[in-house]
């Protein structure tokens, strides 16, 4: 049995998935723009609903691709004499996977988690709180707040203000992208692990795969510099 057409279909589905990922990236940037400009909670919530719709599409695509791959592997393994009904077998596996769907699946989507995380950081950086949080806000000396904020802008490696901050998903600390990548590369050649450069952090295995762009922090730095 030739699976060339199946491989072609899988390739097309993966292209669709890349479009979904791009859409989620754009939606994240739009939400951050909203928070930075006027923090319209209703509009931000609408973008979050769009993110959840994207996450649902991504999950459906993943399940369909898994169903195809499992069916192909099953046929290759069993080597039936007669050509089986591929469409029926794929749909059967796809339906079984979809039947296990829960809302929490969508919350665990990597790009949705990044979206929520960056929104939280963005609101923190720009001191935007929802109306429900107003009662809990304490008055802080403005000079101290600015100084603490500016300290967060400094890379623990270069000791200068960051231009392209990335955050470690494991310990939450931020570094200048080029600086931390150079350390990771150097240690990799020595076959050694990288300890988080932030003083006091116990995380002893910083990986490139754990680093994500900290768009919220970059915007805060840019905003401070404009002022």
């Amino acid at each position: 049995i030739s699976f060339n057409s199946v491989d072609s279909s899988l390739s097309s589905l993966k292209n669709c998935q890349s479009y979904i990922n791009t859409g989620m990236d754009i939606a994240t940037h739009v939400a951050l723009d909203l928070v930075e400009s006027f923090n319209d909670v209703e509009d931000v919530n609408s973008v979050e609903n769009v993110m959840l719709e994207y996450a649902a599409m991504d999950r459906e695509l993943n399940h369909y691709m898994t169903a195809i791959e499992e069916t192909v592997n099953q046929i290759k393994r069993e080597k039936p004499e007669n050509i089986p009904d591929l469409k029926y077998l794929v749909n059967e596996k796809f339906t079984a996977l979809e039947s296990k769907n829960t809302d929490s699946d969508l919350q665990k989507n990597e790009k949705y988690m990044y979206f929520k995380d960056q929104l939280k950081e963005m609101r923190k950086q720009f001191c935007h709180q929802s109306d429900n949080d107003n009662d809990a806000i304490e008055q802080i000396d403005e000079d101290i707040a600015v100084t603490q904020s500016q300290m967060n802008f400094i890379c623990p490696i270069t000791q200068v203000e960051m231009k392209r901050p990335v955050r470690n998903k494991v310990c939450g600390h931020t570094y200048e992208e080029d600086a931390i990548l150079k350390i990771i590369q150097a240690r990799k050649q020595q076959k050694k692990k990288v300890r988080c450069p932030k003083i006091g952090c116990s995380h002893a295995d910083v990986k490139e795969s754990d680093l994500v762009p900290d768009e919220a922090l970059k915007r805060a730095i840019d905003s401070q510099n404009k002022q």
Side-chain angles (χ1 to χ4, degrees), residues 9-21 53-69 90 94 97-98 101:
S9 298
L10 276 173
S11 180
S12 297
L13 290 173
K14 282 172 184 170
N15 279 338
C16 290
Q17 202 164 36
S18 72
Y19 297 142
I20 290 172
N21 287 336
E53 286 174 19
Y54 273 130
M57 285 191 282
D58 186 62
R59 178 180 63 189
E60 190 174 338
L61 263 179
N62 275 328
H63 283 165
Y64 201 68
M65 287 191 289
T66 299
I68 292 172
E69 286 164 355
V90 168
F94 174 70
L97 288 167
E98 285 283 291
N101 286 350

Side-chain angles (χ1 to χ4, degrees), residues 10-221:
L10 276 173
S11 180
S12 297
L13 290 173
K14 282 172 184 170
N15 279 338
C16 290
Q17 202 164 36
S18 72
Y19 297 142
I20 290 172
N21 287 336
T22 301
M24 293 183 93
D25 289 340
I26 292 169
T28 299
H29 283 289
V30 169
L32 297 184
D33 285 341
L34 289 169
V35 175
E36 186 175 355
S37 53
F38 47 81
N39 195 34
D40 190 314
V41 175
E42 192 175 328
D43 284 345
V44 173
N45 288 342
S46 295
V47 177
E48 182 168 353
N49 289 333
V50 169
M51 287 293 287
L52 287 169
E53 286 174 19
Y54 273 130
M57 285 191 282
D58 186 62
R59 178 180 63 189
E60 190 174 338
L61 263 179
N62 275 328
H63 283 165
Y64 201 68
M65 287 191 289
T66 299
I68 292 172
E69 286 164 355
E70 285 182 357
T71 301
V72 168
N73 289 335
Q74 180 185 333
I75 292 168
K76 284 179 178 177
R77 194 170 56 249
E78 295 174 357
K79 297 176 183 174
E81 290 182 14
N82 299 318
I83 297 174
D85 188 336
L86 282 174
K87 188 175 179 181
Y88 173 79
L89 290 174
V90 168
N91 281 334
E92 193 176 43
K93 290 183 189 296
F94 174 70
T95 304
L97 288 167
E98 285 283 291
S99 68
K100 296 173 185 173
N101 286 350
T102 64
D103 288 342
S104 63
D105 293 343
L106 305 182
Q107 311 281 340
K108 290 173 187 169
N109 177 283
E110 194 170 329
K111 285 198 177 281
Y112 176 75
M113 287 167 66
Y114 177 74
F115 167 84
K116 291 292 284 182
D117 178 65
Q118 285 290 291
L119 264 189
K120 186 174 111 183
E121 289 298 315
M122 197 72 180
R123 287 179 171 133
K124 199 190 297 178
Q125 293 290 352
F126 286 86
C127 302
H128 288 160
Q129 302 284 340
S130 68
D131 293 337
N132 296 333
D133 294 335
N134 283 340
D135 296 335
I137 297 171
E138 295 178 3
Q139 292 300 316
I140 309 168
D141 182 272
E142 194 175 330
D143 291 337
I144 293 174
V146 169
T147 304
Q148 287 175 339
S149 177
Q150 286 173 335
M151 283 175 67
N152 292 333
F153 297 168
I154 303 299
C155 171
I157 304 164
T158 64
Q159 293 302 310
V160 297
E161 189 176 88
M162 291 178 275
K163 290 183 172 61
R164 294 181 63 178
V166 289
R167 190 151 51 82
N168 192 323
K169 291 189 287 185
V170 178
C171 63
H173 292 125
T174 51
Y175 334 98
E176 180 63 54
E177 185 177 31
D178 287 345
I180 189 65
L181 289 179
K182 279 179 185 174
I183 292 176
I184 292 172
Q185 200 59 41
R187 292 284 195 280
K188 192 176 180 181
Q189 289 173 352
Q190 298 166 356
K191 295 183 178 176
K192 290 180 180 177
K193 292 181 179 179
V194 179
R195 177 175 286 278
C196 174
K198 187 77 172 176
I199 293 171
C201 182
S202 60
H203 182 47
D205 190 12
V206 179
K207 295 186 177 76
E208 186 176 345
S209 57
D210 291 330
L211 304 176
V212 291
D214 197 329
E215 181 68 23
L217 183 56
K218 185 181 186 304
R219 285 169 183 247
I221 293 170

